[in-house]
Amino acid sequence: MTPSADVSNLSGGSSHTSAAAGLSIVVPAYNEAAGLALLHERLCVLAGTLRQRYGLACEVVYVDDGSADATLSIARGLPPKAIDVQVVSLSRNFGKEAALMAGLDHARRGAVLFMDGDGQHAPELVQQLVSHWIDDGYDVVYTAKAHRDNESILRRMGVRTFYSLINWGSRQKIPEDAGDFRLLSPRAAAALRQLPERNRFFKGLASWIGFRQIRVDYEPEARAHGVTTFSPGHLLGLSIEGLTSFSVAPLRVASLLGLLLATVAFLFGLSILWETVVSGKSVPGYPSLVVGLMTIGGVQLIMIGVMGEYIGKILSEIKARPIYFVAEHSVKSADASAVADKTPQTAAE
């Protein structure tokens, strides 16, 4: 991997000629069997509209992230009506970040669009994202929730705290409330493929690559079926993963906490010295000693935990294991409606 990469030879989307590169729509799916067929019908209609308006050839890449239901079998049977269909089945559940990377790796067109498989990302909004890319020349068109009025105060405070921490001292800010529903021009997609890290935080990386970016506010639609699998604990875990993968803010917080504790201990020591030398009072030692030891021990454990998260990330990068494994991969062409099954792959690049 070279320390720099040149993607200037790829189009950024400054004219209608950019449509010649085509568009790959990546849909990671985990237990989305109930709504996958309906989503595919909407994508087929979208593909026909984009072809008619821009002459844009489209494909959809369904990435089955080790689903336990019939998601894979349903994806295999989806017809290639006006849109090429790829089905990439991972060997197990590797997580959404790995599924997004698998879709990016297998995308055959120039531009890449990421959207969820639960129906909350409206395919009709894609026309606006494509317009910003082709007509306005933007390389990264990302969406963000227009508001969070329907969420609890605790969750809104948690989101605000997360983005404040991850953007603290960062040169490239991550837009607040931005989601994975976004479009990358050919050169932006090529730049994202150049990033070698295993511990990926897609929202951060898509912002870090730079280029011309624009925000589109939207209202997420209601889930087409079922309920979200992202519990508060899961969201907290993802937040920690994002922070430690893309920011050094936790280390800075630990350093500031240590500095604060040292300052308090120094001032407390001065107060003890003052009372002993000046006023002649003796300070009881046991309670203050126990409180001090417990405080110092707690802060040290917190710091060790924070450092452990980063050490774990370093270990993962050193091992250099593949981000995912592909168990099955098939392609259906919309032109000839021919199915070309590829041999199962055992590793991912």
Side-chain angles (χ1 to χ4, degrees):
M1 184 64 63
T2 59
S4 61
D6 187 354
V7 293
S8 59
N9 60 324
L10 297 175
S11 65
S14 57
S15 67
H16 283 264
T17 57
S18 302
L23 175 68
S24 294
I25 303 174
V26 174
V27 182
Y30 178 68
N31 294 341
E32 302 289 356
L36 201 59
L38 177 60
L39 174 63
H40 184 71
E41 286 294 329
R42 298 175 70 182
L43 291 178
C44 289
V45 174
L46 169 68
T49 302
L50 294 178
R51 181 180 290 274
Q52 182 178 8
R53 182 175 178 182
Y54 296 106
L56 190 65
C58 298
E59 72 165 352
V60 58
V61 183
Y62 293 109
V63 182
D64 175 45
D65 190 21
S67 298
D69 61 2
T71 297
L72 178 58
S73 60
I74 291 176
R76 289 196 196 109
L78 294 174
K81 297 188 299 184
I83 189 170
D84 294 346
V85 179
Q86 284 196 65
V87 179
V88 179
S89 175
L90 305 187
S91 61
R92 64 169 175 84
N93 178 250
F94 286 90
K96 188 176 181 180
E97 297 292 331
L100 291 172
M101 189 63 200
L104 180 64
D105 287 341
H106 288 81
R108 301 177 302 168
R109 304 294 183 182
V112 181
L113 173 82
F114 299 93
M115 63 186 303
D116 289 347
D118 56 11
Q120 291 191 288
H121 296 162
E124 292 74 19
L125 183 60
V126 174
Q127 297 183 48
Q128 182 179 352
L129 307 187
V130 171
S131 176
H132 282 303
W133 162 44
I134 294 180
D135 296 329
D136 303 329
Y138 285 96
D139 290 287
V140 179
V141 187
Y142 64 91
T143 62
K145 288 185 178 181
H147 62 82
R148 292 183 176 270
D149 296 342
N150 58 338
E151 298 180 359
S152 65
I153 296 179
L154 185 62
R155 178 159 182 169
R156 278 181 281 175
M157 290 178 59
V159 171
R160 182 72 55 93
T161 302
F162 170 77
Y163 281 103
S164 298
L165 277 175
I166 202 168
N167 286 326
W168 179 30
S170 175
R171 176 178 296 181
Q172 182 63 37
K173 308 296 183 183
I174 300 176
E176 188 170 342
D177 294 330
D180 293 327
F181 186 23
R182 66 182 66 208
L183 184 148
L184 305 177
S185 73
R187 64 179 178 181
L192 197 60
R193 291 188 182 100
Q194 296 292 319
L195 305 181
E197 56 256 51
R198 268 72 181 168
N199 298 283
R200 306 181 71 85
F201 180 54
F202 180 76
K203 298 175 185 178
L205 296 178
S207 298
W208 183 87
I209 60 175
F211 302 109
R212 295 189 65 202
Q213 304 200 9
I214 187 173
R215 169 175 174 152
V216 176
D217 289 334
Y218 81 111
E219 293 282 352
E221 296 186 357
R223 286 182 61 89
H225 64 280
V227 295
T228 180
T229 57
F230 289 95
S231 63
H234 194 178
L235 290 174
L236 178 61
L238 288 176
S239 299
I240 295 174
E241 284 288 325
L243 281 172
T244 55
S245 297
F246 198 76
S247 173
V248 295
L251 291 175
R252 292 177 178 174
V253 170
S255 298
L256 291 176
L257 187 59
L259 179 62
L260 176 63
L261 181 61
T263 303
V264 171
F266 178 73
L267 294 177
F268 183 58
L270 287 180
S271 68
I272 292 176
L273 182 63
W274 175 268
E275 291 183 359
T276 302
V277 175
V278 177
S279 62
K281 296 180 180 179
S282 62
V283 180
Y286 181 74
S288 58
L289 180 62
V290 171
V291 171
L293 288 175
M294 291 180 64
T295 303
I296 295 174
V299 171
Q300 286 179 334
L301 289 176
I302 292 173
M303 292 182 178
I304 291 173
V306 171
M307 292 180 62
E309 288 286 337
Y310 283 94
I311 292 172
K313 295 290 188 300
I314 295 172
L315 178 63
S316 177
E317 296 293 335
I318 292 176
K319 288 181 177 178
R321 292 174 178 170
I323 300 174
Y324 59 87
F325 285 94
V326 175
E328 181 181 330
H329 179 207
S330 63
V331 181
K332 295 179 183 179
S333 172
D335 296 329
S337 295
V339 180
D341 291 326
K342 294 188 176 182
T343 56
Q345 302 178 21
T346 58
E349 298 177 358

